[in-house]
Structure formats: C-alpha cells, structure tokens
Amino acid sequence: QKETVIAAVNALREIGTINYFGAQRFGNVSSTNQDPSETSTGTTHKIGALLLNGKFKEAIDVILQPKMKESAKIKQAKEKYIETQDAQEALRTFPRFMHIERAILEVQAAKGRENDFSGQLLAIPSKMKRMYINAYQSYLWNKVASERVRKFGVNTVVEGDLVAITDEDDGKTVEEIQKLSDEAYDKGLKGGQSLKKVRLVTAEDVAKNAFDPSDVVLPVPGHAVMYPSWTTTREDDNKTFDGKSLFHELAMNEGGVTLEHTKHSIMEFSMRSYPGDYRRLFLKPKDLKCEFIRYDDTKIDLVKTDMDAFVKKKNKNDDNNNNGVEKEGKLLAAKLSFKLGAGNYATMILRELTKAQAREYSYDDKC
C-alpha cells in the first residue's frame, strides 16, 4: 500500500540507515559448492582471509571454482581444469576477459612453477589483489557496525565513539566524509599518512551534543587506525569487548585471521600493507523522492534508462506511447530517486526500505 511505502521513505529520510558495504563488495556470484543456507553472497572476502592466513593453494582453488550465474561454457572450462589440472589446456579455453584466472594459470603453466602458489597469486593485477583484502576488511566493518548498532542504536552518538575532525578546529567535525570510505584504502595507502584525523567522543561531548550522528565513523581495520573505546557484551557467553578487541575477535572467528601478526612473508597479502581507513557509520540519502506508477504489463520497463534517452525510438507515435504504463493500471510500483556519496551503496538503501536480503537477483528470479 502507498501508505506503507510513504512511511518507510519518510523514516529513511529522517533517521537514515547503517552505512554497510553492499553485497557487490563481496562478489555478486557465489561458488556452486556453497551451502544454500549461507546468507553471505560472494567469496571475495573469504579469499581475502585465506590470503592473510597464507593459505595460497586454497585461495587459488576458490578463485578457480565454477561460480553460480557464470555461463555454461565458463563452468565447463573450469570443471575440466579441476578434473585435469592442465593449466595449458585451461588457457586455451578460459576467455581472455578472465584476467585473474588467466594470470594464475599463466604462471602455473610455466615449467617448474605448478606449485609456486604465492607466485601465481602475485601475478594477479595489483588492484585485483587488493580487492580480496579490502573485501575482508569491509566484511569485518559490517560485522562491527551491526554490533555497535545492536548495543547503542541507530542515529546515536555515545561515549567512546570515533568522530572525524578537521585540522583547523579540533572540536568540529567535517560536514561530508563519504570519501573516507572506499577511495582511500583502495589506492593502497602507505603508512597511514593520508588517514583522516579522528578522536574519541567523551562524556562531556555527549552531554553537550557536540557531535551529530553523521560525524560518527568506524575504522576499516588496518595497522594505522584508532578503535572506538566503548564496550559491548556478547549475548551467548557474556564476554565483554572494547572496539579493538571486538574487531580482533571477529577476525579470528571469521577466517582465523590475526590482524596484528603476519603468518607469511608476502607483504602484499599482509595487514602490514593496509593502514585501514575510517568510514561513516550512518547514511542518509540526499534528495530522497518517491513517486508511484500504475501499470498492467509486468514485462515492460517502467523507467527509461539513459540508453533509452540516448537512442530515441523512431516510432512517430512514440511521444504518445505510454509503454504499458497506465494511469489506472492494476499494478502499483514505487519509483525512488536519491543521491549518495562516493563509497555508499544504493542496495543498502533498498534493503532498508524493503527489509529484504541485499542480494543480486537474476532475471529469472521471482522477486
């Protein structure tokens, strides 16, 4: 009903939601061997955990596994490789756009390097190598964000939170910190020299309402970040954690990763090469608008794409064609428009509105 949608839109506009990294961050397709009960989409962050742990052969195996929604031809090529372990043959059948897989296979096919697993992974283009570690960092961030909100709520500022500050005035926060999310650590910052300044919120700050909830950040884990000092108690065993120990506990439980110690000598797959960053905890979309569309035909596009606008139909009657949209149609759709900053995910806005799982639907899914 319209009233339900309008109420949800108004609540989102007023309160906002958690600024989670979206499912795209972790890969849009999962292994065909994945347990159907798993709710996490993708395997990117799992590969990141394997790399940090030095489990290079296992990481390669996951990368080369057939994935859901891949074409039958690609699945067949991967299955053939798994059966034969013939890298030379795989290079003849894997499409050229599969840069990661082919980089691994090219080293593997070289004489004497079939067991050089670290060398095979290091052949992957740099940005793609970082993608795996970044995904694992993002996965931990999402987990801690959920725990922080479970304990202290949405749109709140509490003692022990971290807030971003400006260089000019230690007592005021920056107005916009969206760019503190993906962009900085995706560039592979060295030594944390470009990290934004943050400070802990004090009891006095809370009493004075010195900071707005939009100022609150959580660290993307790395070797150069500060952690919040609030504490939270785990429900199942009543164990208490501060912000730093919570990140470390989750890392150990979600992949067996030790954030402060390296289990191998490959720097590119070590947390010592990732200073971390700070990401805004709460997200409010700008210029959020909602309009309703009536229609009858479930197969037509209700909203014209940029391509539709660019390639205009030459039908003389196109201006009078409503493309199946009817003022009195039996079906009702809500059209949303809003603006987000860099590193924010529209899928998180849609998830908040629909209260559904954030996942990628294929065209033949019924949703």
Side-chain angles (χ1 to χ4, degrees), residues 350-361:
L350 298 178
R351 190 184 81 157
E352 178 63 22
L353 286 172
T354 61
K355 305 301 182 184
Q357 286 288 336
R359 52 158 292 186
E360 180 190 31
Y361 290 98

Side-chain angles (χ1 to χ4, degrees), residues 152-169:
F152 301 111
V154 177
N155 233 22
T156 58
V157 181
V158 301
E159 182 180 359
D161 271 335
L162 288 174
V163 289
I165 59 175
T166 63
D167 291 331
E168 294 77 18
D169 188 339

Side-chain angles (χ1 to χ4, degrees), residues 63-339:
I63 292 172
L64 294 176
Q65 280 180 356
K67 304 295 192 299
M68 294 171 61
K69 300 181 183 177
E70 285 181 332
S71 72
K73 184 177 180 180
I74 291 176
K75 286 182 182 178
Q76 187 177 28
K78 286 187 171 183
E79 289 166 356
K80 183 68 174 178
Y81 166 78
I82 291 173
E83 178 186 347
T84 65
Q85 295 294 299
D86 188 336
Q88 290 282 10
E89 176 62 26
L91 285 170
R92 287 191 284 269
T93 57
F94 277 45
R96 296 220 172 256
F97 65 79
M98 298 178 70
H99 304 295
I100 294 175
E101 292 87 346
R102 290 184 64 86
I104 292 171
L105 291 169
E106 284 171 2
V107 176
Q108 194 177 121
K111 186 176 180 180
R113 301 195 67 183
E114 58 273 6
N115 293 321
D116 180 10
F117 304 123
S118 61
Q120 293 167 26
L121 290 164
L122 288 172
I124 298 173
S126 295
K127 185 174 182 180
M128 295 177 180
K129 287 196 291 268
R130 291 199 301 270
M131 170 186 69
Y132 295 120
I133 310 298
N134 293 162
Y136 185 70
Q137 292 171 297
S138 303
Y139 181 74
L140 293 179
W141 190 98
N142 279 4
K143 288 282 188 178
V144 173
S146 293
E147 181 61 27
R148 191 284 185 193
V149 171
R150 183 193 68 79
K151 178 69 182 287
F152 301 111
V154 177
N155 233 22
T156 58
V157 181
V158 301
E159 182 180 359
D161 271 335
L162 288 174
V163 289
I165 59 175
T166 63
D167 291 331
E168 294 77 18
D169 188 339
D170 189 58
K172 295 182 180 180
T173 61
V174 293
E175 294 181 0
E176 299 293 340
I177 62 171
Q178 295 98 315
K179 292 183 180 179
L180 305 185
S181 51
D182 290 359
E183 294 181 338
Y185 70 87
D186 272 348
K187 295 177 181 176
L189 299 178
K190 302 298 182 184
Q193 76 273 21
S194 296
L195 294 183
K196 299 296 182 181
K197 290 187 177 180
V198 298
R199 77 169 177 86
L200 291 168
V201 175
T202 65
E204 183 180 2
D205 292 330
V206 175
K208 292 180 177 179
N209 290 321
F211 298 102
D212 187 82
S214 64
D215 301 321
V216 177
V217 297
L218 272 182
V220 175
H223 66 74
V225 295
M226 287 180 58
Y227 290 90
S229 63
W230 41 252
T231 60
T232 182
T233 302
R234 193 161 56 189
E235 293 179 336
D236 56 353
D237 60 6
N238 290 321
K239 190 174 181 180
T240 299
F241 302 92
D242 62 14
K244 183 175 182 178
S245 62
L246 179 59
F247 269 101
H248 284 255
E249 177 76 5
L250 286 170
M252 184 57 64
N253 291 340
E254 302 285 345
V257 174
T258 304
L259 293 178
E260 291 185 335
H261 303 286
T262 302
K263 299 180 181 179
H264 54 80
S265 61
I266 308 300
M267 284 297 296
E268 290 184 66
F269 302 137
S270 166
M271 287 301 292
R272 288 179 293 174
S273 295
Y274 295 81
D277 204 350
Y278 299 99
R279 178 178 177 85
R280 184 173 59 172
L281 178 58
F282 303 117
L283 172 64
K284 285 185 180 180
K286 294 183 178 181
D287 300 330
L288 176 59
K289 299 176 183 178
C290 176
E291 63 178 281
F292 295 94
I293 302 172
R294 287 281 182 186
Y295 66 102
D296 287 314
D297 187 350
T298 59
K299 296 182 180 180
I300 57 98
D301 294 326
L302 300 181
V303 180
K304 288 187 176 182
T305 65
D306 291 340
M307 182 60 72
D308 292 330
F310 182 72
V311 184
K312 294 183 178 180
K313 294 181 179 179
K314 296 183 179 180
N315 188 336
K316 295 181 180 180
N317 298 321
D318 187 52
D319 291 338
N320 298 320
N321 184 8
N322 57 19
N323 292 323
V325 178
E326 303 286 350
K327 291 184 178 180
E328 302 300 329
K330 295 179 181 179
L331 301 175
L332 180 67
K335 175 185 173 183
L336 298 172
S337 63
F338 51 86
K339 297 178 182 178

Side-chain angles (χ1 to χ4, degrees), residues 4-18:
T4 302
V5 175
I6 291 172
V9 170
N10 288 339
L12 179 60
R13 185 184 292 115
E14 179 69 22
I15 301 173
T17 187
I18 306 170

